[in-house]
Amino acid sequence: MTPLVGLVCACLGFVAADDAALETIGRLKHEPIREASGIVASRKHAGVFWVINDSGNPPVLFAVKRDGTLVREYKVAAINLDWEAIAIDDAGFLYIGDIGNNDARLPIRVVYKLAEPDPSGPAPAAPLPLVAASHYRFAETGRFDAEALFVDAEKRVVMISKTPDGRESELFRIEFNPPATLFRPVDPIRVGSLPDFVEPVTGADITANGRRLAVCSYGVLRVYEPASFTSPRWRKVGELRFKAQGVEGICWDGDDLLLCAESREMYRVKPAQWRRNEK
């Protein structure tokens, strides 16, 4: 980018795409990982990342290394109607969000909770059992699509709406205390919004201390921190635009961010890159 173009972009408030900021660190070569739609780092097993596939694939959980190399794969005792997100908590549980809802056709969606398996041992022959499944509906909020999930500092399971119409993305709590059943689903509860995130959200992850939230879309990622201990809003503290295609998942790896794409590429973004456009 020339200095003149850079000056014009700065004056107009644009942030130019920077492919150099995305460092390719590997590839998801394992054939069954056909459409990676979510990734999260294990908090129990160093160097292990959990990956899931999008709709049209079997209900399988994959443990991979940072470079995308397969460690283990596990069948899950659930249906993959439209798996779009995976999250983790500090109590040893994973959450798989069957939360996709293209064209808002599905009246009920679900988040599955299961115990994190130990990838250092052999995978069991039987599918991993569910600890819980919480179903939600849209009677009050209206149906919406979603592809991002995280467990916040208050141990709430939070989903981010995927808005295609330019509205700011909103955050909704999914009830797990107790989980809502398929026959008595409940409405997700709005708990905040993300300033300036008007692109369709495709992935999110939060740091273990709950103080930093990374959210991605096609061509942009932003990092947020809580505006205050009591505010439902988040303030943007970093942003990066890029040209890589099909980025569906993002997770923290220390202060680095890892991104996975449906095209199987694994990328890393170092702190100096996502902080460079700090607001």
Side-chain angles (χ1 to χ4, degrees):
M1 181 171 62
T2 66
L4 178 58
V5 173
L7 178 61
V8 172
C9 289
C11 291
L12 294 177
F14 296 154
V15 180
D18 184 0
D19 274 358
L22 293 188
E23 175 190 358
T24 302
I25 59 172
R27 185 174 173 80
L28 296 163
K29 295 181 180 179
H30 186 50
E31 182 59 29
I33 308 178
R34 297 181 180 90
E35 293 181 276
S37 60
I39 186 171
V40 72
S42 173
R43 296 180 185 175
K44 296 172 62 177
H45 309 287
V48 170
F49 299 84
W50 298 105
V51 173
I52 57 170
N53 270 328
D54 206 337
S55 59
N57 293 282
V60 178
L61 176 67
F62 303 93
V64 302
K65 296 180 181 179
R66 188 175 288 104
D67 64 359
T69 303
L70 180 73
V71 178
R72 292 280 185 276
E73 64 177 270
Y74 302 85
K75 296 178 182 178
V76 179
I79 296 173
N80 181 354
L81 187 59
D82 197 356
W83 287 11
E84 291 287 2
I86 185 168
I88 197 167
D89 65 18
D90 282 334
F93 295 105
L94 295 169
Y95 300 80
I96 296 176
D98 198 336
I99 57 178
N101 199 10
N102 294 331
D103 301 321
R105 294 176 179 176
L106 301 171
I108 299 175
R109 308 305 295 116
V110 61
V111 177
Y112 299 117
K113 179 180 181 179
L114 62 154
E116 181 180 4
D118 183 354
S120 65
L128 298 177
L130 299 179
V131 173
S134 191
H135 298 75
Y136 61 91
R137 61 185 180 184
F138 302 91
E140 298 297 329
T141 60
R143 298 182 189 180
F144 58 79
D145 194 9
E147 296 189 8
L149 195 71
F150 64 94
V151 181
D152 69 9
E154 299 178 36
K155 301 181 180 179
R156 301 178 300 181
V157 179
V158 179
M159 173 178 63
I160 305 176
S161 63
K162 182 180 181 182
T163 53
D165 56 3
R167 290 178 293 126
E168 283 187 347
S169 298
E170 296 183 301
L171 282 64
F172 294 88
R173 175 168 61 86
I174 305 300
E175 186 60 63
F176 265 91
N177 189 26
T181 68
L182 173 62
F183 301 104
R184 299 189 68 180
V186 298
D187 268 87
I189 299 171
R190 187 182 183 279
V191 293
S193 61
L194 295 177
D196 299 332
F197 216 112
V198 295
E199 301 86 358
V201 170
T202 59
D205 188 35
I206 198 167
T207 52
N209 63 8
R211 298 299 297 166
R212 191 170 286 157
L213 175 66
V215 186
C216 68
S217 180
Y218 300 117
V220 64
L221 70 84
R222 296 187 181 92
V223 177
Y224 294 86
E225 293 180 351
S228 71
F229 287 109
T230 58
S231 172
R233 289 184 65 87
W234 296 71
R235 64 185 182 92
K236 184 173 63 174
V237 297
E239 178 175 311
L240 178 69
R241 294 187 179 273
F242 52 87
K243 296 178 182 178
Q245 299 297 311
V247 171
E248 290 271 337
I250 187 170
C251 74
W252 291 100
D253 182 22
D255 286 335
D256 291 345
L257 285 169
L258 298 189
L259 288 78
C260 66
E262 286 189 330
S263 56
R264 298 180 182 268
E265 279 78 18
M266 296 281 290
Y267 303 103
R268 175 170 64 185
V269 178
K270 295 181 179 179
Q273 300 294 343
W274 62 258
R275 286 177 175 147
R276 188 177 59 190
N277 297 305
E278 188 168 341
K279 299 296 182 180

